[in-house]
Amino acid sequence: MTSTAKFRKDKEIVAEYETQVKEIRAQLVEQLKCLDQQCELRVQLLQDLQDFFRKKAEIEMDYSRNLEKLAERFLTKTRSTKDHQLKKEQSVLSPVNCWNLLLTQVKRESRDHATLSDLYLNNIIPRFAQVSEDSGRLFKKSKEVGVQLHEDLMKVLNELYTCLAQASLGEAAA
């Protein structure tokens, strides 16, 4: 093989190598972009979940207050007539006892919804915030590791290129 043909072949190998390195670099950059997009999407989803549960907590609290008002309104109304009717009707299944049980149930339901609202505000929403912070830290660390690995890979590829070039020059000189 003539030295010109050898030089041309070496030049083609180097050009192919450079093309492959550019493709690898582009893939590595794309990986980091995908990681960033995933992070942004997760953070947005967690923020949406926090907003959802914050609004749900407000609704539960409003519902609780409305149930409490409803029960109190009718309890107040029936207290004035309660003593008179209770003396007349001692039966366990009397309409007055059923009515009082219903109002007691509504008050209990009101407390349950207030508790649910409290759980959303004090447990679930802060947990989403914590998960969001943890995810952000993990993505940041993953990106740092990815960048370091990409740099190491590019360093190894450059060393390979240097060795390839030296070997090519050594053969051309011989």
Side-chain angles (χ1 to χ4, degrees):
M1 191 184 259
T2 67
S3 86
T4 318
K6 175 73 173 149
F7 181 73
R8 201 174 302 137
K9 184 176 180 181
D10 288 345
K11 204 171 188 179
E12 288 174 8
I13 291 171
V14 169
E16 183 180 336
Y17 168 80
E18 288 175 351
T19 302
Q20 289 176 351
V21 167
K22 286 179 184 176
E23 287 176 15
I24 290 171
R25 185 174 281 132
Q27 289 175 356
L28 297 176
V29 167
E30 189 62 31
Q31 283 179 346
L32 291 177
K33 285 181 184 177
C34 287
L35 184 65
D36 286 339
Q37 288 174 343
Q38 284 180 347
C39 180
E40 289 173 16
L41 288 173
R42 288 206 177 131
V43 166
Q44 184 60 48
L45 175 63
L46 289 166
Q47 288 174 345
D48 289 347
L49 286 167
Q50 286 176 300
D51 292 344
F52 173 82
F53 279 102
R54 192 170 288 113
K55 185 63 180 167
K56 190 164 172 54
E58 290 174 20
I59 291 168
E60 292 290 344
M61 187 54 74
D62 289 344
Y63 186 56
S64 170
R65 287 185 193 120
N66 287 335
L67 287 175
E68 181 69 28
K69 287 177 187 175
L70 177 68
E72 283 301 319
R73 188 172 110 209
F74 282 96
L75 276 172
T76 303
K77 186 176 179 180
T78 59
R79 280 185 189 135
S80 60
T81 60
K82 183 178 175 183
D83 293 334
H84 178 67
Q85 289 179 350
L86 282 177
K87 290 177 184 172
K88 287 184 177 179
E89 298 182 30
Q90 292 297 321
S91 170
V92 176
L93 298 177
S94 74
V96 172
N97 286 341
C98 290
W99 178 242
N100 286 331
L101 285 173
L102 176 67
L103 293 176
T104 303
Q105 176 61 34
V106 169
K107 286 184 74 100
R108 192 174 311 128
E109 190 177 348
S110 169
R111 284 191 302 271
D112 291 346
H113 284 279
T115 301
L116 188 57
S117 174
D118 185 60
L119 286 172
Y120 290 154
L121 288 173
N122 298 319
N123 294 83
I124 292 176
I125 293 171
R127 182 64 182 131
F128 281 132
Q130 185 180 16
V131 168
S132 181
E133 290 171 11
D134 292 347
S135 292
R137 278 193 298 276
L138 287 172
F139 276 111
K140 184 179 178 184
K141 187 65 177 174
S142 296
K143 186 173 181 177
E144 289 172 5
V145 169
V147 167
Q148 183 61 46
L149 289 173
H150 293 174
E151 288 173 1
D152 292 347
L153 178 62
M154 295 311 292
K155 183 179 176 182
V156 168
L157 288 173
N158 285 333
E159 289 173 9
L160 178 63
Y161 176 73
T162 302
C163 291
L164 180 65
Q166 288 176 351
S168 178
L169 288 174
E171 289 179 9

